[in-house]
PDB file of all heavy atoms in Angstrom:
ATOM      1  N   LEU A   1       5.754  10.434 -13.007  1.00 92.00           N
ATOM      2  CA  LEU A   1       4.401  10.077 -13.416  1.00 92.00           C
ATOM      3  C   LEU A   1       3.492  11.305 -13.411  1.00 92.00           C
ATOM      4  O   LEU A   1       3.572  12.134 -12.503  1.00 92.00           O
ATOM      5  CB  LEU A   1       3.821   9.019 -12.479  1.00 92.00           C
ATOM      6  CG  LEU A   1       4.465   7.628 -12.515  1.00 92.00           C
ATOM      7  CD1 LEU A   1       3.759   6.698 -11.542  1.00 92.00           C
ATOM      8  CD2 LEU A   1       4.439   7.050 -13.925  1.00 92.00           C
ATOM      9  N   PRO A   2       2.619  11.428 -14.410  1.00 90.00           N
ATOM     10  CA  PRO A   2       1.650  12.545 -14.404  1.00 90.00           C
ATOM     11  C   PRO A   2       0.614  12.362 -13.303  1.00 90.00           C
ATOM     12  O   PRO A   2       0.275  11.232 -12.933  1.00 90.00           O
ATOM     13  CB  PRO A   2       1.017  12.447 -15.791  1.00 90.00           C
ATOM     14  CG  PRO A   2       1.172  11.011 -16.192  1.00 90.00           C
ATOM     15  CD  PRO A   2       2.465  10.558 -15.584  1.00 90.00           C
ATOM     16  N   LYS A   3       0.137  13.476 -12.774  1.00 88.00           N
ATOM     17  CA  LYS A   3      -0.841  13.418 -11.680  1.00 88.00           C
ATOM     18  C   LYS A   3      -1.968  14.423 -11.921  1.00 88.00           C
ATOM     19  O   LYS A   3      -2.552  14.948 -10.978  1.00 88.00           O
ATOM     20  CB  LYS A   3      -0.155  13.702 -10.341  1.00 88.00           C
ATOM     21  CG  LYS A   3       1.062  12.846 -10.046  1.00 88.00           C
ATOM     22  CD  LYS A   3       1.741  13.258  -8.770  1.00 88.00           C
ATOM     23  CE  LYS A   3       3.044  12.509  -8.530  1.00 88.00           C
ATOM     24  NZ  LYS A   3       4.099  12.854  -9.503  1.00 88.00           N
ATOM     25  N   THR A   4      -2.270  14.656 -13.180  1.00 90.00           N
ATOM     26  CA  THR A   4      -3.238  15.692 -13.526  1.00 90.00           C
ATOM     27  C   THR A   4      -4.672  15.194 -13.430  1.00 90.00           C
ATOM     28  O   THR A   4      -5.528  15.828 -12.798  1.00 90.00           O
ATOM     29  CB  THR A   4      -2.976  16.220 -14.946  1.00 90.00           C
ATOM     30  OG1 THR A   4      -1.629  16.682 -15.026  1.00 90.00           O
ATOM     31  CG2 THR A   4      -3.927  17.377 -15.268  1.00 90.00           C
ATOM     32  N   THR A   5      -4.940  14.046 -14.025  1.00 93.00           N
ATOM     33  CA  THR A   5      -6.307  13.531 -14.057  1.00 93.00           C
ATOM     34  C   THR A   5      -6.573  12.628 -12.862  1.00 93.00           C
ATOM     35  O   THR A   5      -5.645  12.160 -12.186  1.00 93.00           O
ATOM     36  CB  THR A   5      -6.563  12.742 -15.347  1.00 93.00           C
ATOM     37  OG1 THR A   5      -5.773  11.542 -15.320  1.00 93.00           O
ATOM     38  CG2 THR A   5      -6.178  13.571 -16.574  1.00 93.00           C
ATOM     39  N   GLU A   6      -7.847  12.351 -12.627  1.00 92.00           N
ATOM     40  CA  GLU A   6      -8.219  11.461 -11.533  1.00 92.00           C
ATOM     41  C   GLU A   6      -7.644  10.065 -11.755  1.00 92.00           C
ATOM     42  O   GLU A   6      -7.178   9.416 -10.812  1.00 92.00           O
ATOM     43  CB  GLU A   6      -9.739  11.385 -11.416  1.00 92.00           C
ATOM     44  CG  GLU A   6     -10.248  10.506 -10.284  1.00 92.00           C
ATOM     45  CD  GLU A   6      -9.842  11.016  -8.908  1.00 92.00           C
ATOM     46  OE1 GLU A   6      -9.528  12.226  -8.782  1.00 92.00           O
ATOM     47  OE2 GLU A   6      -9.825  10.208  -7.957  1.00 92.00           O
ATOM     48  N   ALA A   7      -7.670   9.594 -12.998  1.00 93.00           N
ATOM     49  CA  ALA A   7      -7.126   8.269 -13.300  1.00 93.00           C
ATOM     50  C   ALA A   7      -5.630   8.214 -13.013  1.00 93.00           C
ATOM     51  O   ALA A   7      -5.128   7.216 -12.472  1.00 93.00           O
ATOM     52  CB  ALA A   7      -7.389   7.926 -14.762  1.00 93.00           C
ATOM     53  N   GLU A   8      -4.921   9.275 -13.332  1.00 91.00           N
ATOM     54  CA  GLU A   8      -3.478   9.319 -13.071  1.00 91.00           C
ATOM     55  C   GLU A   8      -3.198   9.354 -11.571  1.00 91.00           C
ATOM     56  O   GLU A   8      -2.271   8.692 -11.089  1.00 91.00           O
ATOM     57  CB  GLU A   8      -2.872  10.542 -13.763  1.00 91.00           C
ATOM     58  CG  GLU A   8      -2.860  10.423 -15.285  1.00 91.00           C
ATOM     59  CD  GLU A   8      -2.553  11.732 -15.973  1.00 91.00           C
ATOM     60  OE1 GLU A   8      -2.613  12.802 -15.319  1.00 91.00           O
ATOM     61  OE2 GLU A   8      -2.256  11.702 -17.188  1.00 91.00           O
ATOM     62  N   ARG A   9      -4.005  10.092 -10.850  1.00 91.00           N
ATOM     63  CA  ARG A   9      -3.811  10.154  -9.401  1.00 91.00           C
ATOM     64  C   ARG A   9      -4.119   8.811  -8.742  1.00 91.00           C
ATOM     65  O   ARG A   9      -3.483   8.428  -7.754  1.00 91.00           O
ATOM     66  CB  ARG A   9      -4.684  11.264  -8.801  1.00 91.00           C
ATOM     67  CG  ARG A   9      -4.187  12.667  -9.131  1.00 91.00           C
ATOM     68  CD  ARG A   9      -4.898  13.715  -8.298  1.00 91.00           C
ATOM     69  NE  ARG A   9      -6.301  13.857  -8.686  1.00 91.00           N
ATOM     70  CZ  ARG A   9      -6.734  14.689  -9.630  1.00 91.00           C
ATOM     71  NH1 ARG A   9      -5.872  15.451 -10.309  1.00 91.00           N
ATOM     72  NH2 ARG A   9      -8.017  14.777  -9.913  1.00 91.00           N
ATOM     73  N   LEU A  10      -5.085   8.074  -9.297  1.00 92.00           N
ATOM     74  CA  LEU A  10      -5.401   6.751  -8.756  1.00 92.00           C
ATOM     75  C   LEU A  10      -4.252   5.771  -8.980  1.00 92.00           C
ATOM     76  O   LEU A  10      -3.994   4.897  -8.142  1.00 92.00           O
ATOM     77  CB  LEU A  10      -6.687   6.218  -9.391  1.00 92.00           C
ATOM     78  CG  LEU A  10      -7.983   6.865  -8.906  1.00 92.00           C
ATOM     79  CD1 LEU A  10      -9.168   6.371  -9.721  1.00 92.00           C
ATOM     80  CD2 LEU A  10      -8.209   6.597  -7.412  1.00 92.00           C
ATOM     81  N   ILE A  11      -3.553   5.909 -10.103  1.00 94.00           N
ATOM     82  CA  ILE A  11      -2.391   5.062 -10.372  1.00 94.00           C
ATOM     83  C   ILE A  11      -1.304   5.325  -9.334  1.00 94.00           C
ATOM     84  O   ILE A  11      -0.701   4.398  -8.779  1.00 94.00           O
ATOM     85  CB  ILE A  11      -1.857   5.306 -11.799  1.00 94.00           C
ATOM     86  CG1 ILE A  11      -2.862   4.774 -12.830  1.00 94.00           C
ATOM     87  CG2 ILE A  11      -0.496   4.645 -11.987  1.00 94.00           C
ATOM     88  CD1 ILE A  11      -2.506   5.122 -14.261  1.00 94.00           C
ATOM     89  N   VAL A  12      -1.059   6.612  -9.058  1.00 93.00           N
ATOM     90  CA  VAL A  12      -0.064   6.986  -8.052  1.00 93.00           C
ATOM     91  C   VAL A  12      -0.467   6.448  -6.674  1.00 93.00           C
ATOM     92  O   VAL A  12       0.360   5.926  -5.919  1.00 93.00           O
ATOM     93  CB  VAL A  12       0.106   8.517  -8.017  1.00 93.00           C
ATOM     94  CG1 VAL A  12       0.949   8.946  -6.818  1.00 93.00           C
ATOM     95  CG2 VAL A  12       0.747   9.012  -9.314  1.00 93.00           C
ATOM     96  N   GLN A  13      -1.752   6.563  -6.363  1.00 93.00           N
ATOM     97  CA  GLN A  13      -2.239   6.064  -5.079  1.00 93.00           C
ATOM     98  C   GLN A  13      -2.047   4.562  -4.962  1.00 93.00           C
ATOM     99  O   GLN A  13      -1.643   4.057  -3.909  1.00 93.00           O
ATOM    100  CB  GLN A  13      -3.716   6.418  -4.899  1.00 93.00           C
ATOM    101  CG  GLN A  13      -4.311   5.906  -3.591  1.00 93.00           C
ATOM    102  CD  GLN A  13      -5.747   6.370  -3.391  1.00 93.00           C
ATOM    103  OE1 GLN A  13      -6.136   7.431  -3.857  1.00 93.00           O
ATOM    104  NE2 GLN A  13      -6.541   5.559  -2.706  1.00 93.00           N
ATOM    105  N   ARG A  14      -2.322   3.850  -6.042  1.00 94.00           N
ATOM    106  CA  ARG A  14      -2.170   2.397  -6.024  1.00 94.00           C
ATOM    107  C   ARG A  14      -0.712   2.010  -5.800  1.00 94.00           C
ATOM    108  O   ARG A  14      -0.416   1.072  -5.041  1.00 94.00           O
ATOM    109  CB  ARG A  14      -2.682   1.799  -7.347  1.00 94.00           C
ATOM    110  CG  ARG A  14      -2.414   0.303  -7.525  1.00 94.00           C
ATOM    111  CD  ARG A  14      -2.904  -0.508  -6.356  1.00 94.00           C
ATOM    112  NE  ARG A  14      -4.332  -0.369  -6.139  1.00 94.00           N
ATOM    113  CZ  ARG A  14      -4.989  -0.882  -5.113  1.00 94.00           C
ATOM    114  NH1 ARG A  14      -4.321  -1.541  -4.176  1.00 94.00           N
ATOM    115  NH2 ARG A  14      -6.285  -0.710  -4.989  1.00 94.00           N
ATOM    116  N   ILE A  15       0.208   2.726  -6.413  1.00 96.00           N
ATOM    117  CA  ILE A  15       1.635   2.463  -6.200  1.00 96.00           C
ATOM    118  C   ILE A  15       1.972   2.659  -4.729  1.00 96.00           C
ATOM    119  O   ILE A  15       2.663   1.841  -4.106  1.00 96.00           O
ATOM    120  CB  ILE A  15       2.497   3.377  -7.092  1.00 96.00           C
ATOM    121  CG1 ILE A  15       2.326   2.979  -8.562  1.00 96.00           C
ATOM    122  CG2 ILE A  15       3.968   3.310  -6.684  1.00 96.00           C
ATOM    123  CD1 ILE A  15       2.971   3.954  -9.536  1.00 96.00           C
ATOM    124  N   GLY A  16       1.484   3.755  -4.155  1.00 95.00           N
ATOM    125  CA  GLY A  16       1.727   4.025  -2.746  1.00 95.00           C
ATOM    126  C   GLY A  16       1.150   2.949  -1.842  1.00 95.00           C
ATOM    127  O   GLY A  16       1.783   2.528  -0.863  1.00 95.00           O
ATOM    128  N   GLN A  17      -0.050   2.501  -2.157  1.00 95.00           N
ATOM    129  CA  GLN A  17      -0.684   1.476  -1.330  1.00 95.00           C
ATOM    130  C   GLN A  17       0.053   0.141  -1.410  1.00 95.00           C
ATOM    131  O   GLN A  17       0.156  -0.588  -0.420  1.00 95.00           O
ATOM    132  CB  GLN A  17      -2.147   1.329  -1.734  1.00 95.00           C
ATOM    133  CG  GLN A  17      -3.003   2.527  -1.330  1.00 95.00           C
ATOM    134  CD  GLN A  17      -4.401   2.485  -1.901  1.00 95.00           C
ATOM    135  OE1 GLN A  17      -4.657   1.822  -2.910  1.00 95.00           O
ATOM    136  NE2 GLN A  17      -5.322   3.199  -1.273  1.00 95.00           N
ATOM    137  N   ASP A  18       0.582  -0.173  -2.595  1.00 96.00           N
ATOM    138  CA  ASP A  18       1.359  -1.408  -2.730  1.00 96.00           C
ATOM    139  C   ASP A  18       2.652  -1.339  -1.919  1.00 96.00           C
ATOM    140  O   ASP A  18       3.056  -2.322  -1.274  1.00 96.00           O
ATOM    141  CB  ASP A  18       1.685  -1.665  -4.206  1.00 96.00           C
ATOM    142  CG  ASP A  18       0.464  -2.103  -5.015  1.00 96.00           C
ATOM    143  OD1 ASP A  18      -0.547  -2.477  -4.397  1.00 96.00           O
ATOM    144  OD2 ASP A  18       0.528  -2.035  -6.257  1.00 96.00           O
ATOM    145  N   ILE A  19       3.314  -0.182  -1.932  1.00 96.00           N
ATOM    146  CA  ILE A  19       4.536   0.001  -1.147  1.00 96.00           C
ATOM    147  C   ILE A  19       4.212  -0.076   0.343  1.00 96.00           C
ATOM    148  O   ILE A  19       4.948  -0.685   1.126  1.00 96.00           O
ATOM    149  CB  ILE A  19       5.201   1.345  -1.510  1.00 96.00           C
ATOM    150  CG1 ILE A  19       5.738   1.302  -2.944  1.00 96.00           C
ATOM    151  CG2 ILE A  19       6.321   1.690  -0.522  1.00 96.00           C
ATOM    152  CD1 ILE A  19       6.235   2.637  -3.461  1.00 96.00           C
ATOM    153  N   PHE A  20       3.105   0.543   0.728  1.00 96.00           N
ATOM    154  CA  PHE A  20       2.672   0.518   2.129  1.00 96.00           C
ATOM    155  C   PHE A  20       2.409  -0.915   2.582  1.00 96.00           C
ATOM    156  O   PHE A  20       2.838  -1.326   3.666  1.00 96.00           O
ATOM    157  CB  PHE A  20       1.412   1.372   2.265  1.00 96.00           C
ATOM    158  CG  PHE A  20       0.860   1.468   3.659  1.00 96.00           C
ATOM    159  CD1 PHE A  20       1.535   2.165   4.644  1.00 96.00           C
ATOM    160  CD2 PHE A  20      -0.360   0.880   3.981  1.00 96.00           C
ATOM    161  CE1 PHE A  20       1.018   2.275   5.932  1.00 96.00           C
ATOM    162  CE2 PHE A  20      -0.883   0.990   5.263  1.00 96.00           C
ATOM    163  CZ  PHE A  20      -0.191   1.688   6.236  1.00 96.00           C
ATOM    164  N   ARG A  21       1.733  -1.690   1.766  1.00 97.00           N
ATOM    165  CA  ARG A  21       1.448  -3.086   2.105  1.00 97.00           C
ATOM    166  C   ARG A  21       2.743  -3.882   2.267  1.00 97.00           C
ATOM    167  O   ARG A  21       2.891  -4.643   3.230  1.00 97.00           O
ATOM    168  CB  ARG A  21       0.574  -3.720   1.021  1.00 97.00           C
ATOM    169  CG  ARG A  21       0.359  -5.225   1.195  1.00 97.00           C
ATOM    170  CD  ARG A  21      -0.518  -5.789   0.080  1.00 97.00           C
ATOM    171  NE  ARG A  21      -0.513  -7.243   0.085  1.00 97.00           N
ATOM    172  CZ  ARG A  21      -1.247  -7.998   0.903  1.00 97.00           C
ATOM    173  NH1 ARG A  21      -2.047  -7.439   1.781  1.00 97.00           N
ATOM    174  NH2 ARG A  21      -1.183  -9.321   0.820  1.00 97.00           N
ATOM    175  N   SER A  22       3.663  -3.689   1.348  1.00 96.00           N
ATOM    176  CA  SER A  22       4.940  -4.397   1.434  1.00 96.00           C
ATOM    177  C   SER A  22       5.675  -4.036   2.725  1.00 96.00           C
ATOM    178  O   SER A  22       6.251  -4.901   3.393  1.00 96.00           O
ATOM    179  CB  SER A  22       5.809  -4.056   0.216  1.00 96.00           C
ATOM    180  OG  SER A  22       7.065  -4.684   0.289  1.00 96.00           O
ATOM    181  N   GLY A  23       5.628  -2.739   3.082  1.00 96.00           N
ATOM    182  CA  GLY A  23       6.265  -2.306   4.316  1.00 96.00           C
ATOM    183  C   GLY A  23       5.622  -2.921   5.545  1.00 96.00           C
ATOM    184  O   GLY A  23       6.314  -3.331   6.486  1.00 96.00           O
ATOM    185  N   LEU A  24       4.292  -3.014   5.557  1.00 97.00           N
ATOM    186  CA  LEU A  24       3.597  -3.623   6.694  1.00 97.00           C
ATOM    187  C   LEU A  24       3.905  -5.113   6.805  1.00 97.00           C
ATOM    188  O   LEU A  24       4.036  -5.645   7.909  1.00 97.00           O
ATOM    189  CB  LEU A  24       2.095  -3.412   6.575  1.00 97.00           C
ATOM    190  CG  LEU A  24       1.550  -2.013   6.880  1.00 97.00           C
ATOM    191  CD1 LEU A  24       0.036  -2.016   6.792  1.00 97.00           C
ATOM    192  CD2 LEU A  24       1.991  -1.531   8.252  1.00 97.00           C
ATOM    193  N   ILE A  25       4.017  -5.792   5.683  1.00 97.00           N
ATOM    194  CA  ILE A  25       4.346  -7.224   5.713  1.00 97.00           C
ATOM    195  C   ILE A  25       5.711  -7.426   6.356  1.00 97.00           C
ATOM    196  O   ILE A  25       5.908  -8.337   7.171  1.00 97.00           O
ATOM    197  CB  ILE A  25       4.280  -7.824   4.302  1.00 97.00           C
ATOM    198  CG1 ILE A  25       2.813  -7.921   3.844  1.00 97.00           C
ATOM    199  CG2 ILE A  25       4.935  -9.201   4.261  1.00 97.00           C
ATOM    200  CD1 ILE A  25       2.637  -8.354   2.401  1.00 97.00           C
ATOM    201  N   ASP A  26       6.664  -6.559   6.007  1.00 96.00           N
ATOM    202  CA  ASP A  26       7.976  -6.638   6.647  1.00 96.00           C
ATOM    203  C   ASP A  26       7.877  -6.311   8.129  1.00 96.00           C
ATOM    204  O   ASP A  26       8.410  -7.034   8.978  1.00 96.00           O
ATOM    205  CB  ASP A  26       8.961  -5.674   5.969  1.00 96.00           C
ATOM    206  CG  ASP A  26       9.549  -6.233   4.690  1.00 96.00           C
ATOM    207  OD1 ASP A  26       9.672  -7.463   4.582  1.00 96.00           O
ATOM    208  OD2 ASP A  26       9.889  -5.442   3.792  1.00 96.00           O
ATOM    209  N   TYR A  27       7.208  -5.215   8.443  1.00 97.00           N
ATOM    210  CA  TYR A  27       7.170  -4.742   9.825  1.00 97.00           C
ATOM    211  C   TYR A  27       6.511  -5.769  10.754  1.00 97.00           C
ATOM    212  O   TYR A  27       7.007  -6.027  11.854  1.00 97.00           O
ATOM    213  CB  TYR A  27       6.416  -3.420   9.899  1.00 97.00           C
ATOM    214  CG  TYR A  27       6.401  -2.806  11.283  1.00 97.00           C
ATOM    215  CD1 TYR A  27       7.443  -1.995  11.705  1.00 97.00           C
ATOM    216  CD2 TYR A  27       5.358  -3.067  12.176  1.00 97.00           C
ATOM    217  CE1 TYR A  27       7.442  -1.443  12.982  1.00 97.00           C
ATOM    218  CE2 TYR A  27       5.357  -2.525  13.453  1.00 97.00           C
ATOM    219  CZ  TYR A  27       6.398  -1.717  13.849  1.00 97.00           C
ATOM    220  OH  TYR A  27       6.397  -1.182  15.116  1.00 97.00           O
ATOM    221  N   TRP A  28       5.384  -6.335  10.307  1.00 97.00           N
ATOM    222  CA  TRP A  28       4.645  -7.288  11.138  1.00 97.00           C
ATOM    223  C   TRP A  28       5.076  -8.733  10.886  1.00 97.00           C
ATOM    224  O   TRP A  28       4.412  -9.668  11.318  1.00 97.00           O
ATOM    225  CB  TRP A  28       3.147  -7.127  10.926  1.00 97.00           C
ATOM    226  CG  TRP A  28       2.632  -5.798  11.400  1.00 97.00           C
ATOM    227  CD1 TRP A  28       2.282  -4.724  10.624  1.00 97.00           C
ATOM    228  CD2 TRP A  28       2.432  -5.384  12.752  1.00 97.00           C
ATOM    229  NE1 TRP A  28       1.880  -3.674  11.404  1.00 97.00           N
ATOM    230  CE2 TRP A  28       1.956  -4.042  12.725  1.00 97.00           C
ATOM    231  CE3 TRP A  28       2.597  -6.012  13.984  1.00 97.00           C
ATOM    232  CZ2 TRP A  28       1.652  -3.334  13.882  1.00 97.00           C
ATOM    233  CZ3 TRP A  28       2.306  -5.304  15.136  1.00 97.00           C
ATOM    234  CH2 TRP A  28       1.828  -3.978  15.084  1.00 97.00           C
ATOM    235  N   GLN A  29       6.180  -8.899  10.188  1.00 95.00           N
ATOM    236  CA  GLN A  29       6.782 -10.215   9.945  1.00 95.00           C
ATOM    237  C   GLN A  29       5.808 -11.183   9.274  1.00 95.00           C
ATOM    238  O   GLN A  29       5.770 -12.378   9.581  1.00 95.00           O
ATOM    239  CB  GLN A  29       7.339 -10.799  11.253  1.00 95.00           C
ATOM    240  CG  GLN A  29       8.394  -9.902  11.892  1.00 95.00           C
ATOM    241  CD  GLN A  29       8.939 -10.458  13.177  1.00 95.00           C
ATOM    242  OE1 GLN A  29       9.711 -11.415  13.170  1.00 95.00           O
ATOM    243  NE2 GLN A  29       8.546  -9.864  14.304  1.00 95.00           N
ATOM    244  N   GLY A  30       4.997 -10.627   8.383  1.00 96.00           N
ATOM    245  CA  GLY A  30       4.155 -11.460   7.535  1.00 96.00           C
ATOM    246  C   GLY A  30       2.981 -12.123   8.214  1.00 96.00           C
ATOM    247  O   GLY A  30       2.452 -13.114   7.692  1.00 96.00           O
ATOM    248  N   GLN A  31       2.540 -11.595   9.365  1.00 97.00           N
ATOM    249  CA  GLN A  31       1.376 -12.209  10.001  1.00 97.00           C
ATOM    250  C   GLN A  31       0.501 -11.172  10.682  1.00 97.00           C
ATOM    251  O   GLN A  31       0.988 -10.121  11.107  1.00 97.00           O
ATOM    252  CB  GLN A  31       1.791 -13.271  11.003  1.00 97.00           C
ATOM    253  CG  GLN A  31       2.444 -12.746  12.266  1.00 97.00           C
ATOM    254  CD  GLN A  31       2.684 -13.860  13.284  1.00 97.00           C
ATOM    255  OE1 GLN A  31       2.726 -15.040  12.932  1.00 97.00           O
ATOM    256  NE2 GLN A  31       2.831 -13.503  14.538  1.00 97.00           N
ATOM    257  N   CYS A  32      -0.768 -11.467  10.751  1.00 97.00           N
ATOM    258  CA  CYS A  32      -1.696 -10.627  11.493  1.00 97.00           C
ATOM    259  C   CYS A  32      -1.361 -10.757  12.971  1.00 97.00           C
ATOM    260  O   CYS A  32      -1.389 -11.866  13.515  1.00 97.00           O
ATOM    261  CB  CYS A  32      -3.135 -11.077  11.222  1.00 97.00           C
ATOM    262  SG  CYS A  32      -4.362 -10.319  12.320  1.00 97.00           S
ATOM    263  N   PRO A  33      -1.048  -9.663  13.656  1.00 97.00           N
ATOM    264  CA  PRO A  33      -0.649  -9.771  15.057  1.00 97.00           C
ATOM    265  C   PRO A  33      -1.775 -10.196  15.991  1.00 97.00           C
ATOM    266  O   PRO A  33      -1.518 -10.663  17.100  1.00 97.00           O
ATOM    267  CB  PRO A  33      -0.158  -8.356  15.383  1.00 97.00           C
ATOM    268  CG  PRO A  33      -0.874  -7.470  14.420  1.00 97.00           C
ATOM    269  CD  PRO A  33      -1.005  -8.280  13.165  1.00 97.00           C
ATOM    270  N   LEU A  34      -3.014 -10.044  15.546  1.00 96.00           N
ATOM    271  CA  LEU A  34      -4.158 -10.460  16.367  1.00 96.00           C
ATOM    272  C   LEU A  34      -4.422 -11.957  16.286  1.00 96.00           C
ATOM    273  O   LEU A  34      -4.651 -12.621  17.293  1.00 96.00           O
ATOM    274  CB  LEU A  34      -5.416  -9.728  15.906  1.00 96.00           C
ATOM    275  CG  LEU A  34      -5.725  -8.350  16.458  1.00 96.00           C
ATOM    276  CD1 LEU A  34      -6.916  -7.784  15.721  1.00 96.00           C
ATOM    277  CD2 LEU A  34      -5.987  -8.400  17.951  1.00 96.00           C
ATOM    278  N   THR A  35      -4.408 -12.468  15.066  1.00 96.00           N
ATOM    279  CA  THR A  35      -4.852 -13.840  14.836  1.00 96.00           C
ATOM    280  C   THR A  35      -3.724 -14.819  14.553  1.00 96.00           C
ATOM    281  O   THR A  35      -3.924 -16.025  14.644  1.00 96.00           O
ATOM    282  CB  THR A  35      -5.818 -13.881  13.640  1.00 96.00           C
ATOM    283  OG1 THR A  35      -5.101 -13.472  12.455  1.00 96.00           O
ATOM    284  CG2 THR A  35      -6.995 -12.934  13.858  1.00 96.00           C
ATOM    285  N   GLY A  36      -2.565 -14.294  14.167  1.00 96.00           N
ATOM    286  CA  GLY A  36      -1.469 -15.169  13.793  1.00 96.00           C
ATOM    287  C   GLY A  36      -1.555 -15.685  12.370  1.00 96.00           C
ATOM    288  O   GLY A  36      -0.704 -16.467  11.934  1.00 96.00           O
ATOM    289  N   ILE A  37      -2.558 -15.267  11.610  1.00 97.00           N
ATOM    290  CA  ILE A  37      -2.720 -15.718  10.221  1.00 97.00           C
ATOM    291  C   ILE A  37      -1.544 -15.240   9.378  1.00 97.00           C
ATOM    292  O   ILE A  37      -1.171 -14.059   9.425  1.00 97.00           O
ATOM    293  CB  ILE A  37      -4.050 -15.207   9.635  1.00 97.00           C
ATOM    294  CG1 ILE A  37      -5.223 -15.954  10.289  1.00 97.00           C
ATOM    295  CG2 ILE A  37      -4.092 -15.384   8.113  1.00 97.00           C
ATOM    296  CD1 ILE A  37      -6.580 -15.433   9.882  1.00 97.00           C
TER     297      ILE A  37
END
């Protein structure tokens, strides 16, 4: 993926954030550890 422009870098960041979220859902077994939600 290109990473030259700000828009391109935001796309890369969004991909990273989606992967990070998926990893956290697995790690925390799909629930907020504070509230149980």
Side-chain angles (χ1 to χ4, degrees):
L1 293 181
K3 307 175 186 68
T4 304
T5 68
E6 181 63 21
E8 290 167 345
R9 288 192 290 271
L10 286 173
I11 291 173
V12 170
Q13 179 175 330
R14 173 53 60 186
I15 291 171
Q17 289 171 337
D18 288 345
I19 292 172
F20 181 69
R21 173 180 169 80
S22 178
L24 285 183
I25 288 173
D26 279 331
Y27 184 86
W28 295 104
Q29 301 180 73
Q31 71 174 21
C32 169
L34 274 173
T35 64
I37 289 174

